[in-house]
Amino acid sequence: MKKILIFVDKLGPKKELFAEEIAKKLDKGKQLVLARFTDLYFDIDAGNTSISVLGMPITDFDLVYFRRAGDKFSVASATLALCLAQKSIKFIDTTWGEIGPLGSKFTSLVKLAIAGLPIIHTIFVQQSRIQDLGDDIIKSLGLPLVAKEVSTQRGKGVFKITAKKDFSKLLPIDSEGRTNQFLFQKFADIKEEYRLLVLGDHVRVWERKTVTDPAEFRHNIALGASEEFLDIKDIPPEFEKIAVSAAKALKLEVAGVDIAVERGTGKLFLIEVNRGPGITYDMNVSPELAEIAEYLNRIVN
């Protein structure tokens, strides 16, 4: 049985009639399924991103047709298209696979996972399904877990979830009236976190970020963490390999790559890759401005 999946932004009489009439005209042995983007469930891990819709694995389908996404689900559509291409599942229109740099943290994370980089196990569902799927998220990631608002930066919109009731604290609408979207990640006990500045094919600057507040779990300078710039000659090769590979996976020539070391295991996690990374402007403290200037000089020589 060949299966065709049609995605729409919301169900209604016209969309249901569309699906019914198309289904009647399909060849024998072909089945049509109509679904909403809110029916998607992404389980994202290094080298193994799985997706289900209406409880069925996306790999059960032979063709995915993005019938109607609208602005609200355009990022989800394009991110799904990346996964479909990686899994060799046909989809239309193929233009959905050309999102480039216009995606979100969610899109970037999927690209990093497809590249097999060591990301933290992550779940993504649409905001309207968080309460319904809370038990599934907890079962997969355990407690505590971390919720990260997709559109925020510098540690804002990052919350520790210690019980199912905490999901209700995740506001569905932001201050500008937009729908908030969250990534849910397994909580990692982080010993140390580093920011690496990738310029071209090399890491040119690296710094250690240290949390000074014992009650704080976020390693963000904007939230009070201290920073210490380290001698680039001392950077471990594995750190540089991960950072440069991450930048290349996202097709970035200039990137700020956050890498964490797990307490006890020493395991490295790729936390985030930032386009146009924030820098420290005090040149007595940070070599970042000098390194960026040198990189630009090399390009135009």
Side-chain angles (χ1 to χ4, degrees):
M1 176 72 71
K2 298 286 187 179
K3 287 186 178 181
I4 299 171
L5 177 60
I6 296 181
F7 271 117
V8 294
D9 52 354
K10 57 184 177 182
L11 297 179
K14 287 186 177 180
K15 294 183 177 72
E16 291 171 356
L17 177 61
F18 174 87
E20 289 172 6
E21 292 302 320
I22 294 293
K24 291 176 184 178
K25 295 173 175 57
L26 291 177
D27 295 338
K28 186 177 180 180
K30 294 178 181 176
Q31 178 185 357
L32 186 144
V33 175
L34 180 66
R36 304 163 298 173
F37 290 99
T38 52
D39 296 320
L40 280 165
Y41 185 98
F42 286 81
D43 189 314
I44 309 161
D45 212 349
N48 184 31
T49 295
S50 60
I51 304 160
S52 61
V53 57
L54 297 171
M56 296 175 283
I58 199 71
T59 49
D60 283 358
F61 296 92
D62 301 279
L63 173 66
V64 176
Y65 173 22
F66 297 98
R67 167 63 180 165
R68 189 69 58 82
D71 292 339
K72 185 175 181 180
F73 299 111
S74 58
V75 171
S77 299
T79 306
L80 174 59
L82 295 173
C83 298
L84 295 175
Q86 190 264 339
K87 296 176 184 297
S88 299
I89 299 172
K90 295 177 182 178
F91 61 92
I92 52 176
D93 294 303
T94 52
T95 189
W96 283 113
E98 301 171 1
I99 190 171
L102 300 179
S104 66
K105 288 181 183 179
F106 166 45
T107 313
S108 295
L109 195 68
V110 167
K111 289 180 178 180
L112 296 171
I114 288 173
L117 288 159
I119 66 165
I120 295 177
H121 188 187
T122 303
I123 302 293
F124 177 82
V125 296
Q126 293 294 330
Q127 167 69 43
S128 61
R129 301 297 309 285
I130 290 174
Q131 289 292 346
D132 295 340
L133 296 171
D135 288 334
D136 294 318
I137 295 170
I138 292 170
K139 181 179 179 180
S140 181
L141 302 178
L143 288 173
L145 59 88
V146 175
K148 290 185 176 181
E149 211 286 303
V150 168
S151 65
T152 56
Q153 296 179 339
R154 299 184 178 181
K156 295 181 180 179
V158 179
F159 308 93
K160 184 186 286 187
I161 303 293
T162 59
K164 185 179 179 181
K165 61 182 177 60
D166 292 342
F167 287 123
S168 63
K169 300 176 183 178
L170 305 178
L171 298 177
I173 304 296
D174 69 11
S175 59
E176 298 180 10
R178 299 171 300 190
T179 301
N180 277 333
Q181 298 292 346
F182 290 88
L183 297 168
F184 298 97
Q185 295 188 322
K186 183 179 180 65
F187 182 82
D189 185 6
I190 294 174
K191 177 185 177 184
E192 297 174 320
E193 187 170 321
Y194 298 84
R195 161 63 64 88
L196 286 68
L197 178 62
V198 177
L199 299 173
D201 293 331
H202 299 281
V203 174
R204 296 298 181 182
V205 180
W206 73 310
E207 62 174 305
R208 180 189 291 116
K209 299 187 291 182
T210 303
V211 174
T212 55
D213 181 354
E216 180 59 73
F217 70 97
R218 297 167 293 181
H219 289 65
N220 296 88
I221 305 302
L223 298 178
S226 64
E227 59 181 342
E228 176 190 3
F229 289 90
L230 306 170
D231 192 327
I232 195 63
K233 296 193 298 295
D234 296 331
I235 187 170
E238 188 175 4
F239 277 56
E240 179 155 31
K241 181 180 179 181
I242 290 172
V244 172
S245 297
K248 287 184 176 180
L250 300 184
K251 298 183 179 179
L252 299 176
E253 283 72 44
V254 178
V257 181
D258 294 333
I259 296 177
V261 181
E262 186 176 37
R263 193 182 309 276
T265 67
K267 183 176 181 180
L268 301 185
F269 286 114
L270 180 56
I271 301 297
E272 193 168 72
V273 180
N274 299 274
R275 296 195 303 267
I279 62 174
T280 297
Y281 288 91
D282 185 347
M283 295 184 68
N284 294 317
V285 174
S286 167
E288 292 163 301
L289 286 174
E291 289 292 343
I292 292 172
E294 183 179 336
Y295 175 63
L296 297 178
N297 276 325
R298 287 199 302 271
I299 291 176
V300 296
N301 276 347

